[in-house]
PDB file of all heavy atoms in Angstrom:
ATOM      1  N   VAL X  38      16.764   6.280  -7.870  1.00  0.00           N
ATOM      2  CA  VAL X  38      17.619   7.451  -8.055  1.00  0.00           C
ATOM      3  C   VAL X  38      18.213   7.442  -9.460  1.00  0.00           C
ATOM      4  O   VAL X  38      18.756   6.422  -9.908  1.00  0.00           O
ATOM      5  CB  VAL X  38      18.779   7.484  -7.038  1.00  0.00           C
ATOM      6  CG1 VAL X  38      19.603   8.764  -7.228  1.00  0.00           C
ATOM      7  CG2 VAL X  38      18.275   7.382  -5.619  1.00  0.00           C
ATOM      8  N   ALA X  39      18.100   8.565 -10.154  1.00  0.00           N
ATOM      9  CA  ALA X  39      18.810   8.791 -11.411  1.00  0.00           C
ATOM     10  C   ALA X  39      19.711   9.995 -11.216  1.00  0.00           C
ATOM     11  O   ALA X  39      19.297  10.991 -10.617  1.00  0.00           O
ATOM     12  CB  ALA X  39      17.830   9.038 -12.559  1.00  0.00           C
ATOM     13  N   GLY X  40      20.947   9.906 -11.696  1.00  0.00           N
ATOM     14  CA  GLY X  40      21.873  11.007 -11.459  1.00  0.00           C
ATOM     15  C   GLY X  40      22.800  11.286 -12.618  1.00  0.00           C
ATOM     16  O   GLY X  40      23.175  10.379 -13.379  1.00  0.00           O
ATOM     17  N   SER X  41      23.157  12.562 -12.752  1.00  0.00           N
ATOM     18  CA  SER X  41      24.194  13.000 -13.691  1.00  0.00           C
ATOM     19  C   SER X  41      25.354  13.561 -12.898  1.00  0.00           C
ATOM     20  O   SER X  41      25.159  14.327 -11.947  1.00  0.00           O
ATOM     21  CB  SER X  41      23.664  14.094 -14.632  1.00  0.00           C
ATOM     22  OG  SER X  41      22.840  13.563 -15.639  1.00  0.00           O
ATOM     23  N   ALA X  45      25.145  11.364 -10.027  1.00  0.00           N
ATOM     24  CA  ALA X  45      25.373   9.930 -10.228  1.00  0.00           C
ATOM     25  C   ALA X  45      26.246   9.371  -9.123  1.00  0.00           C
ATOM     26  O   ALA X  45      26.033   8.239  -8.659  1.00  0.00           O
ATOM     27  CB  ALA X  45      26.021   9.687 -11.588  1.00  0.00           C
ATOM     28  N   ILE X 103      25.185  -2.511 -10.959  1.00  0.00           N
ATOM     29  CA  ILE X 103      23.976  -1.692 -10.866  1.00  0.00           C
ATOM     30  C   ILE X 103      22.726  -2.560 -10.724  1.00  0.00           C
ATOM     31  O   ILE X 103      21.836  -2.261  -9.922  1.00  0.00           O
ATOM     32  CB  ILE X 103      23.864  -0.774 -12.096  1.00  0.00           C
ATOM     33  CG1 ILE X 103      25.007   0.243 -12.103  1.00  0.00           C
ATOM     34  CG2 ILE X 103      22.509  -0.064 -12.134  1.00  0.00           C
ATOM     35  CD1 ILE X 103      25.082   1.090 -13.358  1.00  0.00           C
ATOM     36  N   TYR X 110      18.575   2.270  -9.847  1.00  0.00           N
ATOM     37  CA  TYR X 110      19.526   3.366 -10.059  1.00  0.00           C
ATOM     38  C   TYR X 110      19.862   3.480 -11.539  1.00  0.00           C
ATOM     39  O   TYR X 110      20.009   2.461 -12.236  1.00  0.00           O
ATOM     40  CB  TYR X 110      20.781   3.080  -9.246  1.00  0.00           C
ATOM     41  CG  TYR X 110      21.978   3.951  -9.568  1.00  0.00           C
ATOM     42  CD1 TYR X 110      22.070   5.257  -9.089  1.00  0.00           C
ATOM     43  CD2 TYR X 110      23.035   3.456 -10.327  1.00  0.00           C
ATOM     44  CE1 TYR X 110      23.176   6.047  -9.371  1.00  0.00           C
ATOM     45  CE2 TYR X 110      24.145   4.235 -10.607  1.00  0.00           C
ATOM     46  CZ  TYR X 110      24.219   5.533 -10.134  1.00  0.00           C
ATOM     47  OH  TYR X 110      25.312   6.306 -10.417  1.00  0.00           O
ATOM     48  N   VAL X 111      19.998   4.721 -11.990  1.00  0.00           N
ATOM     49  CA  VAL X 111      20.445   5.005 -13.349  1.00  0.00           C
ATOM     50  C   VAL X 111      21.514   6.098 -13.286  1.00  0.00           C
ATOM     51  O   VAL X 111      21.299   7.144 -12.656  1.00  0.00           O
ATOM     52  CB  VAL X 111      19.293   5.492 -14.253  1.00  0.00           C
ATOM     53  CG1 VAL X 111      19.820   5.841 -15.640  1.00  0.00           C
ATOM     54  CG2 VAL X 111      18.196   4.439 -14.354  1.00  0.00           C
ATOM     55  N   ALA X 112      22.663   5.838 -13.927  1.00  0.00           N
ATOM     56  CA  ALA X 112      23.697   6.866 -14.073  1.00  0.00           C
ATOM     57  C   ALA X 112      23.671   7.365 -15.512  1.00  0.00           C
ATOM     58  O   ALA X 112      23.586   6.566 -16.453  1.00  0.00           O
ATOM     59  CB  ALA X 112      25.077   6.299 -13.744  1.00  0.00           C
ATOM     60  N   VAL X 113      23.729   8.678 -15.683  1.00  0.00           N
ATOM     61  CA  VAL X 113      23.649   9.277 -17.011  1.00  0.00           C
ATOM     62  C   VAL X 113      25.008   9.857 -17.394  1.00  0.00           C
ATOM     63  O   VAL X 113      25.598  10.633 -16.640  1.00  0.00           O
ATOM     64  CB  VAL X 113      22.582  10.382 -17.060  1.00  0.00           C
ATOM     65  CG1 VAL X 113      22.520  11.014 -18.450  1.00  0.00           C
ATOM     66  CG2 VAL X 113      21.214   9.819 -16.680  1.00  0.00           C
ATOM     67  N   ALA X 114      25.503   9.458 -18.563  1.00  0.00           N
ATOM     68  CA  ALA X 114      26.739  10.011 -19.116  1.00  0.00           C
ATOM     69  C   ALA X 114      26.424  10.550 -20.506  1.00  0.00           C
ATOM     70  O   ALA X 114      25.310  10.379 -21.025  1.00  0.00           O
ATOM     71  CB  ALA X 114      27.832   8.945 -19.175  1.00  0.00           C
ATOM     72  N   THR X 123      23.769   8.563 -22.505  1.00  0.00           N
ATOM     73  CA  THR X 123      23.844   7.126 -22.263  1.00  0.00           C
ATOM     74  C   THR X 123      23.364   6.842 -20.852  1.00  0.00           C
ATOM     75  O   THR X 123      23.825   7.474 -19.901  1.00  0.00           O
ATOM     76  CB  THR X 123      25.293   6.610 -22.434  1.00  0.00           C
ATOM     77  OG1 THR X 123      25.690   6.769 -23.794  1.00  0.00           O
ATOM     78  CG2 THR X 123      25.398   5.140 -22.050  1.00  0.00           C
ATOM     79  N   TRP X 124      22.443   5.911 -20.710  1.00  0.00           N
ATOM     80  CA  TRP X 124      21.938   5.523 -19.394  1.00  0.00           C
ATOM     81  C   TRP X 124      22.602   4.212 -18.986  1.00  0.00           C
ATOM     82  O   TRP X 124      22.508   3.209 -19.689  1.00  0.00           O
ATOM     83  CB  TRP X 124      20.433   5.303 -19.434  1.00  0.00           C
ATOM     84  CG  TRP X 124      19.615   6.531 -19.662  1.00  0.00           C
ATOM     85  CD1 TRP X 124      20.058   7.793 -19.916  1.00  0.00           C
ATOM     86  CD2 TRP X 124      18.183   6.607 -19.659  1.00  0.00           C
ATOM     87  NE1 TRP X 124      19.016   8.654 -20.073  1.00  0.00           N
ATOM     88  CE2 TRP X 124      17.841   7.950 -19.920  1.00  0.00           C
ATOM     89  CE3 TRP X 124      17.171   5.684 -19.465  1.00  0.00           C
ATOM     90  CZ2 TRP X 124      16.529   8.387 -19.995  1.00  0.00           C
ATOM     91  CZ3 TRP X 124      15.854   6.102 -19.534  1.00  0.00           C
ATOM     92  CH2 TRP X 124      15.526   7.443 -19.795  1.00  0.00           C
ATOM     93  N   PHE X 125      23.239   4.220 -17.841  1.00  0.00           N
ATOM     94  CA  PHE X 125      23.803   3.000 -17.282  1.00  0.00           C
ATOM     95  C   PHE X 125      22.770   2.398 -16.326  1.00  0.00           C
ATOM     96  O   PHE X 125      22.507   2.940 -15.258  1.00  0.00           O
ATOM     97  CB  PHE X 125      25.094   3.294 -16.525  1.00  0.00           C
ATOM     98  CG  PHE X 125      26.264   3.611 -17.410  1.00  0.00           C
ATOM     99  CD1 PHE X 125      26.541   4.915 -17.791  1.00  0.00           C
ATOM    100  CD2 PHE X 125      27.102   2.598 -17.861  1.00  0.00           C
ATOM    101  CE1 PHE X 125      27.616   5.215 -18.606  1.00  0.00           C
ATOM    102  CE2 PHE X 125      28.182   2.880 -18.671  1.00  0.00           C
ATOM    103  CZ  PHE X 125      28.448   4.191 -19.055  1.00  0.00           C
ATOM    104  N   GLN X 126      22.199   1.274 -16.723  1.00  0.00           N
ATOM    105  CA  GLN X 126      21.215   0.581 -15.901  1.00  0.00           C
ATOM    106  C   GLN X 126      21.685  -0.814 -15.494  1.00  0.00           C
ATOM    107  O   GLN X 126      20.972  -1.540 -14.807  1.00  0.00           O
ATOM    108  CB  GLN X 126      19.885   0.467 -16.650  1.00  0.00           C
ATOM    109  CG  GLN X 126      19.241   1.811 -16.964  1.00  0.00           C
ATOM    110  CD  GLN X 126      17.995   1.674 -17.797  1.00  0.00           C
ATOM    111  OE1 GLN X 126      18.016   1.798 -19.022  1.00  0.00           O
ATOM    112  NE2 GLN X 126      16.877   1.407 -17.140  1.00  0.00           N
ATOM    113  N   LEU X 130      29.128  -0.595 -11.141  1.00  0.00           N
ATOM    114  CA  LEU X 130      28.674   0.693 -10.618  1.00  0.00           C
ATOM    115  C   LEU X 130      29.779   1.738 -10.683  1.00  0.00           C
ATOM    116  O   LEU X 130      29.546   2.876 -11.091  1.00  0.00           O
ATOM    117  CB  LEU X 130      28.186   0.526  -9.180  1.00  0.00           C
ATOM    118  CG  LEU X 130      27.749   1.791  -8.437  1.00  0.00           C
ATOM    119  CD1 LEU X 130      26.636   2.500  -9.184  1.00  0.00           C
ATOM    120  CD2 LEU X 130      27.311   1.448  -7.018  1.00  0.00           C
ATOM    121  N   ALA X 133      30.298   3.153 -14.189  1.00  0.00           N
ATOM    122  CA  ALA X 133      29.233   4.065 -14.604  1.00  0.00           C
ATOM    123  C   ALA X 133      29.420   5.440 -13.973  1.00  0.00           C
ATOM    124  O   ALA X 133      29.262   6.481 -14.631  1.00  0.00           O
ATOM    125  CB  ALA X 133      27.875   3.484 -14.214  1.00  0.00           C
ATOM    126  N   ILE X 134      29.772   5.454 -12.700  1.00  0.00           N
ATOM    127  CA  ILE X 134      30.008   6.723 -12.012  1.00  0.00           C
ATOM    128  C   ILE X 134      31.190   7.452 -12.631  1.00  0.00           C
ATOM    129  O   ILE X 134      31.144   8.667 -12.862  1.00  0.00           O
ATOM    130  CB  ILE X 134      30.241   6.474 -10.509  1.00  0.00           C
ATOM    131  CG1 ILE X 134      28.941   6.011  -9.834  1.00  0.00           C
ATOM    132  CG2 ILE X 134      30.771   7.737  -9.822  1.00  0.00           C
ATOM    133  CD1 ILE X 134      29.115   5.568  -8.398  1.00  0.00           C
ATOM    134  N   SER X 137      30.163   9.192 -15.740  1.00  0.00           N
ATOM    135  CA  SER X 137      29.214  10.279 -15.534  1.00  0.00           C
ATOM    136  C   SER X 137      29.844  11.527 -14.947  1.00  0.00           C
ATOM    137  O   SER X 137      29.328  12.631 -15.142  1.00  0.00           O
ATOM    138  CB  SER X 137      28.069   9.806 -14.628  1.00  0.00           C
ATOM    139  OG  SER X 137      27.062  10.786 -14.535  1.00  0.00           O
TER     140      SER X 137
END
Side-chain angles (χ1 to χ4, degrees):
V38 183
S41 284
I103 294 173
Y110 168 78
V111 177
V113 179
T123 295
W124 292 4
F125 287 90
Q126 297 175 264
L130 176 58
I134 291 172
S137 187

